[in-house]
Amino acid sequence: MTDTYRSGRASFADTKDIDLFVATLERFERGEIDADTWRGFRLLNGVYGQRQLESQMLRIKAPQGILEAKQLRKLADVAEEFASGRGHVTTRQNIQMYDLKLERAEAAMHSLAEAGLTTKEACGNSIRNVTASPLAGVDPDEPFDVTPFAEAMT
C-alpha cells in the first residue's frame, strides 16, 4: 500500500496494482498478450478506451462516494495535468476523466495513489462501488449509520 496518504480512512491505493498495470501494458506492447486479454485487464484497472484512438477514459474509485478535501484537490490536479481538465461523477459515485494518453496512465495512477485513490475495479466486470445514502451518518432520523458497514464491504 502507498504510505504517503494519511487520513482516518483506509487507503484504497496499492502501488503494486500500478506496477502490475505497467508490466501488463508492456507485455501487450511486446505482443505477448492479445488485445482481448489486454482490454479485460485494463478495464478492471480503470482504463477505458475512447472512440478517439489516442485517448483513454480513466475511472477513479470513490468508495461510498466519500472524498476528502485533499482527495478532491488531487482529482483536480490529475484532471488538469493528465486529462481534459474536467471530471465527471458517475452513477456509481466514481469519477471519470477523459482524454488521457495511455503512456501517461502510470503517472496519473501514482499521483492518485498519493491521496489514497485507486482506479482498480472502477470499470469492467467487477463490483465497481458500494454506495449508501448521502445522509448516512448525519441524518437524525436514520435507524443506524450504514457507513461503517459500507466501508467494511468495500
Side-chain angles (χ1 to χ4, degrees):
M1 295 279 177
T2 181
D3 61 354
T4 58
Y5 176 69
R6 298 285 182 257
S7 170
R9 188 170 200 217
S11 171
F12 293 95
D14 188 337
T15 55
K16 291 177 191 167
D17 293 334
I18 301 167
D19 295 341
L20 180 59
F21 177 85
V22 172
T24 305
L25 171 57
E26 289 170 352
R27 289 182 60 216
F28 172 67
E29 289 173 336
R30 289 191 303 264
E32 295 173 11
I33 60 173
D34 64 26
D36 286 338
T37 302
W38 165 241
R39 183 174 32 261
F41 179 83
R42 74 173 161 73
L43 287 174
L44 286 175
N45 285 274
V47 179
Y48 193 92
Q50 291 181 220
R51 289 184 180 153
Q52 302 81 4
L53 294 176
E54 300 299 318
S55 295
Q56 306 290 314
M57 181 266 291
L58 188 66
R59 186 174 290 145
I60 300 102
K61 202 168 200 173
Q64 295 96 58
I66 298 170
L67 293 167
E68 297 174 354
K70 177 181 177 178
Q71 292 174 315
L72 288 168
R73 283 190 293 274
K74 179 58 76 173
L75 288 166
D77 291 345
V78 168
E80 287 289 328
E81 184 174 351
F82 300 103
S84 65
R86 296 180 305 227
H88 299 261
V89 178
T90 72
T91 57
R92 292 182 178 100
Q93 299 179 358
N94 288 322
I95 307 295
Q96 293 179 176
M97 296 178 188
Y98 296 90
D99 299 322
L100 174 89
K101 302 301 180 206
L102 189 56
E103 61 271 12
R104 308 266 294 154
E106 176 184 9
M109 289 174 175
H110 277 292
S111 187
L112 291 164
E114 292 172 1
L117 296 168
T118 185
T119 61
K120 183 157 180 148
E121 296 178 350
C123 293
N125 293 329
S126 66
I127 297 173
R128 295 187 194 172
N129 209 349
V130 175
T131 61
S133 167
L135 300 177
V138 296
D139 182 350
D141 296 323
E142 68 185 349
F144 65 94
D145 179 10
V146 299
T147 306
F149 300 96
E151 187 82 4
M153 189 65 139
T154 299

